[in-house]
Amino acid sequence: MTDLPVQKRLYIKTYGCQMNVYDSERMTDILRPLGYGVTDSPDDADLVVLNTCHIREKATEKVYSELGVLRRMKEAKAGAGGQMTIAVAGCVAQAEGSEIMRRQTAVDFVLGPQSYHRLPEMIARAHRASGEALAADFAADEKFDALPKSRQPGGVTAFLTVQEGCDKFCTFCVVPYTRGAEYSRPVEAVLAEAADLAAQGVREVTLLGQNVNAYGAERNEGGLAGLVERLAAIPGLDRIRYTTSHPRDMDEALIAAHGTQEALMPYLHLPVQSGSDKILKAMNRDHRAEDYVALIGRIRQARPDIALSGDFIVGFPGETEADFEATLDLVRQVGYASAFTFKYSRRPGTPAANMGAQVDEAVKDERLARLNGLLEEQRRAFNAEMVGRVVPVLIEREGRHPGQILGRSPYLQAVHAEGPANLIGQIVHMRIESAAHMSLSGVLVSAAQEAVL
Ligand code: SAH
Ligand code: SF4
Ligand code: F3S
């Protein structure tokens, strides 16, 4: 099908995790052939899509306040004889679809994460102002089959969803309810998408899944390790990452792959949430703190320089000072290169929301600050160790200052240097000169020839 010329403007605002970033790109892909071009301001948009996140209360609240602003824009536009269609997609749409329609009448339709292939149909229905305005199916295979086969990557790195949904039911988490059961895309479909991206100049893919390391569990096709091996064989695809993983699904083949697959980058996001066995049990995480530490030991044996990252929740119901200290102990034992920390947020409908001994907000704040202090120290130490070393950097784009280029180290650190823009898309050697708060500064040592890791 040839695309219609750009006649309409689409504004997509993305909240939440990388999977939403991927989904927003795919929604743009679906709408492009219908004549929708992307705009970065909502007031001149014909179609506004909010791709929402339900993970914490604050994330959900943001959506309702944004809708208030959009309603006023829509009314102003209608007053001037124009029109604006407003759609809510993503995890809030899945969890609170009918409530959104009730609370905010400016919303034309709502569609959940497994229904994006129905976007054109929903737009047509909205324009006829008739029929169903809520699409919240749960069949992930239908969605992937119906999405356009080719993508338009925005640069030299890309996200690629390989698995969706979650069967783990951690007691604090909404994801199993918003994304449905675990589903892995077939290997061939993933390989085709990756080859298409590589042919368009993408050199690094990050494989996405709510439990990405459970990939293929239901298919017996070699799991994530097998997929990585096949992806690494695609010409041009030199770097592979994956996120997010559950400690329970970190199998021996995948651990071994970190030692043998050159394309698999030495960075692993492996959330543990807490270092207290009592809290881990109440969270239904299905492992103890010492299992996690032992697992990290095995991963480091396979790949000694691996950079570790994690997610932590402070103030889960029943968390005492001693439980929190156990989290600090675990962090000291593991040593993280980066981390994401959260105050426990009570989510209606999840088991933890009804647990006794909810922790005081002030106590959560205090624990969060202590945990962040420790993790920040570790991050600084990890970055400082890089100074003086020569690392291969994939150049992604021009920097903020003229003559500056920006890329990433194998450990996912942002690295900037003076250099020509024609290096974008190349992996070059850089000597790290200094480590600042959020990035490293380097100098090119091999502009001409491609670096090998
Ligand atoms: N599937 C991934 C992460 C999903 S959500 C995994 O299992 O690791 C990302 C992070 O948000 C979680 O790891 C957790 O740390 C945090 N999170 C989820 N629900 C939360 C809640 N109710 N309150 C605070 N943080 C939460
Ligand atoms: Fe949520 Fe747990 Fe599933 Fe991660 S594994 S998405 S934290 S339920
Ligand atoms: Fe948020 Fe849904 Fe991702 S709840 S974190 S957008 S899976």
Side-chain angles (χ1 to χ4, degrees):
M1 183 167 66
T2 46
D3 296 1
L4 292 172
V6 174
Q7 306 147 326
K8 292 173 227 144
R9 279 156 306 216
L10 162 70
Y11 173 78
I12 298 197
K13 184 160 183 175
T14 309
Y15 303 81
C17 62
Q18 289 117 325
M19 195 164 295
N20 266 9
V21 175
Y22 175 86
D23 283 342
S24 289
E25 273 183 36
R26 300 317 315 267
M27 284 191 262
T28 310
D29 292 337
I30 298 171
L31 294 172
R32 190 177 301 113
L34 303 178
Y36 282 92
V38 173
T39 167
D40 49 17
S41 66
D43 41 355
D44 67 357
D46 301 288
L47 172 64
V48 173
V49 178
L50 298 187
N51 193 6
T52 62
C53 174
H54 196 53
I55 200 83
R56 282 166 290 274
E57 197 180 351
K58 273 216 182 84
T60 306
E61 277 169 9
K62 269 192 215 152
V63 175
Y64 286 103
S65 66
E66 182 74 25
L67 284 174
V69 175
L70 288 172
R71 177 175 58 87
R72 287 189 289 279
M73 271 183 206
K74 180 173 177 162
E75 284 167 0
K77 240 183 148 181
Q83 68 106 43
M84 177 192 275
T85 303
I86 301 177
V88 180
C91 290
V92 181
Q94 188 67 41
E96 302 187 353
S98 37
E99 192 183 338
I100 297 170
M101 299 295 294
R102 191 175 49 75
R103 268 177 69 176
Q104 190 44 271
T105 48
V107 173
D108 294 279
F109 63 94
V110 166
L111 81 171
Q114 308 311 341
S115 305
Y116 296 152
H117 53 293
R118 297 184 54 196
L119 199 45
E121 168 202 337
M122 298 302 284
I123 295 170
R125 280 176 194 271
H127 288 172
R128 287 199 303 273
S130 66
E132 175 195 32
L134 180 69
D137 307 337
F138 252 137
D141 50 348
E142 250 180 60
K143 158 180 153 178
F144 286 111
D145 286 347
L147 287 173
K149 295 290 173 257
S150 190
R151 294 174 55 185
Q152 255 184 25
V156 299
T157 65
F159 290 136
L160 204 178
T161 295
V162 302
Q163 182 275 342
E164 217 175 324
C166 181
D167 301 335
K168 303 290 190 293
F169 291 94
C170 299
T171 53
F172 51 81
C173 184
V174 296
V175 171
Y177 312 97
T178 62
R179 293 276 173 171
E182 286 183 12
Y183 165 82
S184 297
R185 294 177 66 191
V187 172
E188 295 307 328
V190 175
L191 292 175
E193 191 169 325
D196 172 57
L197 290 170
Q200 297 184 69
V202 168
R203 307 233 19 210
E204 172 179 310
V205 287
T206 300
L207 309 177
L208 299 181
Q210 265 90 31
N211 285 282
V212 72
N213 59 341
Y215 174 79
E218 71 274 36
R219 288 184 200 276
N220 200 18
E221 286 174 329
L224 191 62
L227 181 67
V228 166
E229 194 179 335
R230 295 187 65 183
L231 285 167
I234 295 175
L237 212 58
D238 294 304
R239 290 184 163 196
I240 299 168
R241 305 179 187 275
Y242 60 92
T243 198
T244 301
S245 299
H246 193 291
R248 214 174 87 182
D249 295 318
M250 205 67 212
D251 65 18
E252 293 305 321
L254 188 55
I255 295 173
H258 276 283
T260 56
Q261 289 295 327
E262 207 181 292
L264 196 53
M265 289 293 102
Y267 174 94
L268 177 63
H269 183 67
L270 194 62
V272 65
Q273 315 296 353
S274 168
S276 153
D277 288 342
K278 180 190 93 188
I279 297 297
L280 286 169
K281 192 154 196 271
M283 285 176 162
N284 190 31
R285 289 291 290 184
D286 214 28
H287 62 78
R288 295 165 305 171
E290 67 182 81
D291 303 324
Y292 179 84
V293 174
L295 174 61
I296 297 294
R298 296 210 305 283
I299 296 165
R300 282 207 166 117
Q301 239 170 4
R303 182 77 206 221
D305 64 335
I306 199 157
L308 291 164
S309 159
D311 291 345
F312 298 88
I313 295 178
V314 299
F316 184 83
E319 186 188 74
T320 61
E321 177 61 23
D323 293 317
F324 174 65
E325 298 269 352
T327 300
L328 295 178
D329 276 347
L330 179 140
V331 170
R332 283 187 202 103
Q333 278 187 67
V334 171
Y336 288 90
S338 72
F340 300 88
T341 56
F342 309 101
K343 287 191 286 178
Y344 169 71
S345 168
R346 210 169 168 168
R347 308 306 289 127
T350 61
N354 303 320
M355 287 180 185
Q358 297 282 331
V359 176
D360 211 66
E361 223 31 51
V363 174
K364 286 186 200 168
D365 284 330
E366 189 263 339
R367 288 182 187 162
L368 186 70
R370 276 156 72 199
L371 179 59
N372 282 343
L374 175 60
L375 287 162
E376 178 59 21
E377 241 173 66
Q378 295 191 340
R379 196 172 64 81
R380 274 176 200 279
F382 185 83
N383 286 346
E385 261 173 40
M386 294 287 147
V387 176
R389 282 180 56 184
V390 174
V391 292
V393 175
L394 169 59
I395 307 300
E396 294 180 9
R397 56 191 157 88
E398 289 183 79
R400 235 179 306 155
H401 308 294
Q404 195 185 49
I405 47 175
L406 199 69
R408 294 225 177 238
S409 78
Y411 312 102
L412 206 60
Q413 296 146 304
V415 187
H416 56 83
E418 300 290 316
N422 63 9
L423 291 180
I424 292 170
Q426 289 193 40
I427 298 171
V428 297
H429 274 133
M430 281 195 193
R431 180 177 303 104
I432 305 305
E433 302 277 279
S434 63
H437 185 58
M438 292 303 289
S439 65
L440 305 176
S441 166
V443 288
L444 289 168
V445 293
S446 75
Q449 114 224 26
E450 290 251 315
V452 277
L453 182 61

